[in-house]
Amino acid sequence: MNNIFINYSLFILFLPLVAFVVLIFTGKRLPRQGDWVAVSAVLFTLVLSSAMFVAMLLDYNPDFSQQSGFTWMDLGAFKIEFGILVDNITIIMLLVVALISSCSHIFSLKYMEGDIRYSRYYAYLGLFTFSMNGIVLANNLISMYMSWELVGLSSYLLIAHWFEKDSAADAGKKAFLTNRVGDIGFFIGIMLIYSSIGSFLFSDVFAGVAAGKITGITLTLAGIGIFLGAMGKSSQFPLHIWLPDAMEGPTPVSALMHAATMVAAGVYMTIRLFPLFTPDALLVIAYVGGFTAIFAASIAITQNDIKKVLAYSTVSQLGYMILAVGTGVYTAAFFHLVTHAMFKANLFYGSGSVIHAMHHALHEKHDHETDPQDMRNMGGLKAKMPITYWSMLVSTLAIAGVPLFSGFLSKDAILAGTLAFAQHQPEHFLLPVFGFGAAAMTAFYMFRLIFMTFHGEHQMPELINDIHESPKEMTGPLVLLASLSVFVFYTLPNFNPISDHGWFTDLVVPRTAVVPGSMTAHEIADYAHHAHGLAMSLSIAVIVLGIALSVLIYFKKVFSAETWASKLGFLYDWSLNKFYFDENYNRFLYQPFLNLSKKVAWLDWEIYDRYFINGFAWVIEWYSRVTGKFDYDGIDQGLVDGIGRIVGATGHNLRKIQTGRLQNYLLYVVAGIIVMIIVQAF
C-alpha cells in the first residue's frame, strides 16, 4: 500500500509536466491544439488523487506517513536530499489541487476557445499544476523552494497571458517582482536553519529544533523569514498589492491560482512548518493575518469590478487562515483552506460565466467600450443565468459563514481559536476584533455582489436579450463545486451542521510544536473548545448584521448606497481607491528607488566611467606613449642600435688594418714589441 501511495504521487507530480513538454513543443500541430493532452493528464491526476483519498478514508489512520527520497548532491560538508512526503495533509491537498485544476481545464475549453495562444495556455496550466504538486509533496526545504519559484514563474506566464494588453503585462511583472521580495526572506530563513542544523529535511529540521540546535532570536528570525515567503505567495499585507491586479489573467487562472492553489501555497507551507515557529514568530504571523483579513475586507465592500471584489475577498480569507496559524489552530487554517478552495473557485467560475455572457452580449451590440466586469453594468441576470446564480448563491452562503455550509464550520473553528487566544492573553484582544469584523464585512460585500449582479433591473436593458446561460463545460464545474460547499461533505460520518467533527478532524490531528516552551496541541484544542459556543454566537450575529445591511441597501434599497458613500466621505474614498497603496508605493518606494537608480547611473557613467575608468585609460595611454618612446628612442635606437653602430664602426676601422701586405704586418709586430719593452721598462 505504501509503495502504491508513493507511485501514485510520482504520477500525479509528473503527468502535468509531461503535458507541458508535449504542448509547448508540439501543441499547435496537434488536433484541437492539444487541449485534450492537458485535460487528460490532469483528469488522470484527479483519478489517482481520489483513489489515494478513498484509501486514506478506508485506512482512517491519523498517524499515516510515508516518505521516499534520494541523495541529489553529497559534497561531504554539504548534502542535499530530495524526496516526497505523503501523509493525510498531503493527500487532501493533492485532491484539492487536482480537482480545481481539472475544473479549470474543463472550464477553459469554452472560456478560452479561439484564443490566439490556446495551446500555450494549456501548457502553462500543466507547468503550474506540476509546480504546485511539487510544493505539496516536498519533504525538504530545498525542493519546496524550487517548486515555490516554479509556481512564481508559471503564475507570471499565466497572469500575463494576454500580454498585448499593457495592464496584463504589468500585472504579471508586478506579481513576479512582489513575490521575489517575500522569497528572499524565505531563502534567508532556510539558510539560517541549514547553517544551524545541517539538513534541509523536515524531519531533521524538527529534530534539530527540538534538540536546541537553533534557539532564541535566531529561530524566531528564521521563522519570520520563512513566513515572508508565505506573505508574498498568500498576498498578505503589505505584499498584498499583486493579487487584485492579477485578475488581468483569464478567469479560470484566477480560480485555479488565486483562489485555491498558488495563494494557498503560503498557508500550506506555514501549516507544514508550524512545529518550528516560536511563540514570538507566531504572534507576528497572527497580527499580519488578522490585519490583512479586515483590511482587505474593508476594500472589497466598495469595489465595482466583480473579479476585484473576489480578489480582495481572497486576500481577506487568506488572512483568516494565517490568523489561525498564528493563534495555534493551524488545523482550522487547513480546514478553511480546503473549504475555501471549493467555494472561492466556484465564485470565480461564476464570475467568469457572467463575464462571458456580458462580453458576448456586448459583442453582439458591437460595444467594445463598456466594461463587462463592472457590476454597475449588470443586474437582473438571475432569470437569464439560473445555474450560475444558484451556484454562486450557495458559495456566497458558504463564504459568508452561514450555517449548513462548509464555510461556517471552518470559519467558526478559526474564530473560536482566535477568541480563545485572546481570552488567555487579553492584551491581544485586537485579533478577535479583526476576525469578527472581517466576518461581518464578508457577509456584506458578498451579498452586495449577488444583489448587484443578479437581482433588480438590468442596468443595460438593451443587452438582456443577448445574455444566455453558459455552456455545460462551464456550468458543470459550477454545480460540482457548489455541491462541495455544503457542510455534509466535511462532517461525514457525522451529520451535525454546527460541529466540524468528522473525517477531517479525525484524520488531520494537530501536533505540538517542537519549540521548547510552546503550548501543547491539547491545550490549544481545549481552549478553543471552551470558546466555541461564544465564538459561534458572535459569528452568527455579525453574519446576520452584514447580510441585513446588504439586503437593506442593495436589495430592498431602504438606504441609498450613494448617500451613505457621500456621508462616509474620505473613508469611502480610501476604500474605493484601495487606501492608495499603489499610489503611495509608487510615490514613496518605486519613484524614489527609480530616481536613486538614475542618480547612481549618472554617477556610474559621468563620474566612474568617464573620469575613473576613462581616466585610467588615459593614464595608461600616456604611460604607453612614454614607455614606447623610451623603448624606441632609448632602448632600440640608443642601446641596441647604438651597439650595432659601434661594432660596425669598429669593424670598419679594423678593416683598414687588414691590408694583406707582409711588410705592414711585420711593422705592427715590431711596434707591438717596442710597446711591450717600454711597458716593462716602466
Side-chain angles (χ1 to χ4, degrees), residues 250-263:
T251 299
V253 170
S254 301
L256 173 62
M257 295 168 46
H258 308 135
T261 51
M262 173 186 171
V263 294

PDB file of all heavy atoms in Angstrom, residues 250-263:
ATOM      1  N   PRO A 250      -6.741  35.301 -17.392  1.00  0.00           N
ATOM      2  CA  PRO A 250      -8.024  34.636 -17.661  1.00  0.00           C
ATOM      3  C   PRO A 250      -8.694  34.179 -16.372  1.00  0.00           C
ATOM      4  O   PRO A 250      -8.018  33.783 -15.412  1.00  0.00           O
ATOM      5  CB  PRO A 250      -7.618  33.438 -18.539  1.00  0.00           C
ATOM      6  CG  PRO A 250      -6.310  33.831 -19.152  1.00  0.00           C
ATOM      7  CD  PRO A 250      -5.618  34.675 -18.125  1.00  0.00           C
ATOM      8  N   THR A 251     -10.030  34.218 -16.337  1.00  0.00           N
ATOM      9  CA  THR A 251     -10.775  33.872 -15.119  1.00  0.00           C
ATOM     10  C   THR A 251     -10.487  32.464 -14.617  1.00  0.00           C
ATOM     11  O   THR A 251     -10.371  32.260 -13.401  1.00  0.00           O
ATOM     12  CB  THR A 251     -12.282  34.073 -15.355  1.00  0.00           C
ATOM     13  OG1 THR A 251     -12.513  35.449 -15.666  1.00  0.00           O
ATOM     14  CG2 THR A 251     -13.078  33.712 -14.110  1.00  0.00           C
ATOM     15  N   PRO A 252     -10.360  31.430 -15.479  1.00  0.00           N
ATOM     16  CA  PRO A 252     -10.010  30.105 -14.949  1.00  0.00           C
ATOM     17  C   PRO A 252      -8.666  30.097 -14.226  1.00  0.00           C
ATOM     18  O   PRO A 252      -8.485  29.327 -13.279  1.00  0.00           O
ATOM     19  CB  PRO A 252      -9.968  29.223 -16.207  1.00  0.00           C
ATOM     20  CG  PRO A 252     -10.806  29.933 -17.204  1.00  0.00           C
ATOM     21  CD  PRO A 252     -10.629  31.389 -16.924  1.00  0.00           C
ATOM     22  N   VAL A 253      -7.767  30.952 -14.656  1.00  0.00           N
ATOM     23  CA  VAL A 253      -6.480  31.079 -13.960  1.00  0.00           C
ATOM     24  C   VAL A 253      -6.703  31.681 -12.580  1.00  0.00           C
ATOM     25  O   VAL A 253      -6.102  31.242 -11.585  1.00  0.00           O
ATOM     26  CB  VAL A 253      -5.505  31.949 -14.788  1.00  0.00           C
ATOM     27  CG1 VAL A 253      -4.262  32.289 -13.976  1.00  0.00           C
ATOM     28  CG2 VAL A 253      -5.124  31.242 -16.070  1.00  0.00           C
ATOM     29  N   SER A 254      -7.574  32.682 -12.507  1.00  0.00           N
ATOM     30  CA  SER A 254      -7.888  33.280 -11.210  1.00  0.00           C
ATOM     31  C   SER A 254      -8.471  32.237 -10.265  1.00  0.00           C
ATOM     32  O   SER A 254      -8.137  32.208  -9.076  1.00  0.00           O
ATOM     33  CB  SER A 254      -8.886  34.429 -11.395  1.00  0.00           C
ATOM     34  OG  SER A 254      -8.361  35.416 -12.256  1.00  0.00           O
ATOM     35  N   ALA A 255      -9.351  31.388 -10.784  1.00  0.00           N
ATOM     36  CA  ALA A 255      -9.967  30.357  -9.950  1.00  0.00           C
ATOM     37  C   ALA A 255      -8.936  29.338  -9.478  1.00  0.00           C
ATOM     38  O   ALA A 255      -8.941  28.921  -8.310  1.00  0.00           O
ATOM     39  CB  ALA A 255     -11.074  29.655 -10.729  1.00  0.00           C
ATOM     40  N   LEU A 256      -8.040  28.959 -10.376  1.00  0.00           N
ATOM     41  CA  LEU A 256      -7.055  27.929 -10.035  1.00  0.00           C
ATOM     42  C   LEU A 256      -5.974  28.466  -9.108  1.00  0.00           C
ATOM     43  O   LEU A 256      -5.714  27.906  -8.043  1.00  0.00           O
ATOM     44  CB  LEU A 256      -6.419  27.382 -11.318  1.00  0.00           C
ATOM     45  CG  LEU A 256      -5.245  26.403 -11.136  1.00  0.00           C
ATOM     46  CD1 LEU A 256      -5.695  25.152 -10.398  1.00  0.00           C
ATOM     47  CD2 LEU A 256      -4.632  26.042 -12.484  1.00  0.00           C
ATOM     48  N   MET A 257      -5.357  29.562  -9.501  1.00  0.00           N
ATOM     49  CA  MET A 257      -4.178  30.043  -8.805  1.00  0.00           C
ATOM     50  C   MET A 257      -4.514  30.981  -7.661  1.00  0.00           C
ATOM     51  O   MET A 257      -3.930  30.904  -6.583  1.00  0.00           O
ATOM     52  CB  MET A 257      -3.248  30.762  -9.788  1.00  0.00           C
ATOM     53  CG  MET A 257      -2.668  29.857 -10.851  1.00  0.00           C
ATOM     54  SD  MET A 257      -1.885  30.776 -12.180  1.00  0.00           S
ATOM     55  CE  MET A 257      -0.943  31.962 -11.273  1.00  0.00           C
ATOM     56  N   HIS A 258      -5.469  31.862  -7.879  1.00  0.00           N
ATOM     57  CA  HIS A 258      -5.684  32.958  -6.934  1.00  0.00           C
ATOM     58  C   HIS A 258      -6.867  32.715  -6.020  1.00  0.00           C
ATOM     59  O   HIS A 258      -7.336  33.622  -5.350  1.00  0.00           O
ATOM     60  CB  HIS A 258      -5.843  34.259  -7.723  1.00  0.00           C
ATOM     61  CG  HIS A 258      -4.731  34.477  -8.682  1.00  0.00           C
ATOM     62  ND1 HIS A 258      -4.913  34.896  -9.975  1.00  0.00           N
ATOM     63  CD2 HIS A 258      -3.400  34.272  -8.539  1.00  0.00           C
ATOM     64  CE1 HIS A 258      -3.749  34.965 -10.584  1.00  0.00           C
ATOM     65  NE2 HIS A 258      -2.814  34.599  -9.736  1.00  0.00           N
ATOM     66  N   ALA A 259      -7.358  31.486  -6.001  1.00  0.00           N
ATOM     67  CA  ALA A 259      -8.429  31.135  -5.077  1.00  0.00           C
ATOM     68  C   ALA A 259      -8.124  29.859  -4.324  1.00  0.00           C
ATOM     69  O   ALA A 259      -8.429  29.737  -3.145  1.00  0.00           O
ATOM     70  CB  ALA A 259      -9.747  30.980  -5.836  1.00  0.00           C
ATOM     71  N   ALA A 260      -7.495  28.895  -5.010  1.00  0.00           N
ATOM     72  CA  ALA A 260      -7.425  27.561  -4.429  1.00  0.00           C
ATOM     73  C   ALA A 260      -6.025  27.004  -4.267  1.00  0.00           C
ATOM     74  O   ALA A 260      -5.795  26.173  -3.392  1.00  0.00           O
ATOM     75  CB  ALA A 260      -8.243  26.600  -5.298  1.00  0.00           C
ATOM     76  N   THR A 261      -5.067  27.432  -5.074  1.00  0.00           N
ATOM     77  CA  THR A 261      -3.783  26.727  -5.063  1.00  0.00           C
ATOM     78  C   THR A 261      -2.603  27.644  -4.771  1.00  0.00           C
ATOM     79  O   THR A 261      -2.059  27.626  -3.679  1.00  0.00           O
ATOM     80  CB  THR A 261      -3.576  25.998  -6.407  1.00  0.00           C
ATOM     81  OG1 THR A 261      -3.787  26.918  -7.482  1.00  0.00           O
ATOM     82  CG2 THR A 261      -4.564  24.865  -6.557  1.00  0.00           C
ATOM     83  N   MET A 262      -2.212  28.476  -5.741  1.00  0.00           N
ATOM     84  CA  MET A 262      -0.993  29.269  -5.550  1.00  0.00           C
ATOM     85  C   MET A 262      -1.040  30.103  -4.274  1.00  0.00           C
ATOM     86  O   MET A 262      -0.109  30.065  -3.460  1.00  0.00           O
ATOM     87  CB  MET A 262      -0.769  30.179  -6.754  1.00  0.00           C
ATOM     88  CG  MET A 262       0.390  31.157  -6.547  1.00  0.00           C
ATOM     89  SD  MET A 262       0.535  32.330  -7.876  1.00  0.00           S
ATOM     90  CE  MET A 262       1.765  33.438  -7.201  1.00  0.00           C
ATOM     91  N   VAL A 263      -2.117  30.861  -4.093  1.00  0.00           N
ATOM     92  CA  VAL A 263      -2.193  31.714  -2.909  1.00  0.00           C
ATOM     93  C   VAL A 263      -2.336  30.885  -1.633  1.00  0.00           C
ATOM     94  O   VAL A 263      -2.017  31.362  -0.541  1.00  0.00           O
ATOM     95  CB  VAL A 263      -3.342  32.720  -3.021  1.00  0.00           C
ATOM     96  CG1 VAL A 263      -3.082  33.723  -4.134  1.00  0.00           C
ATOM     97  CG2 VAL A 263      -4.671  32.022  -3.264  1.00  0.00           C
TER      98      VAL A 263
END
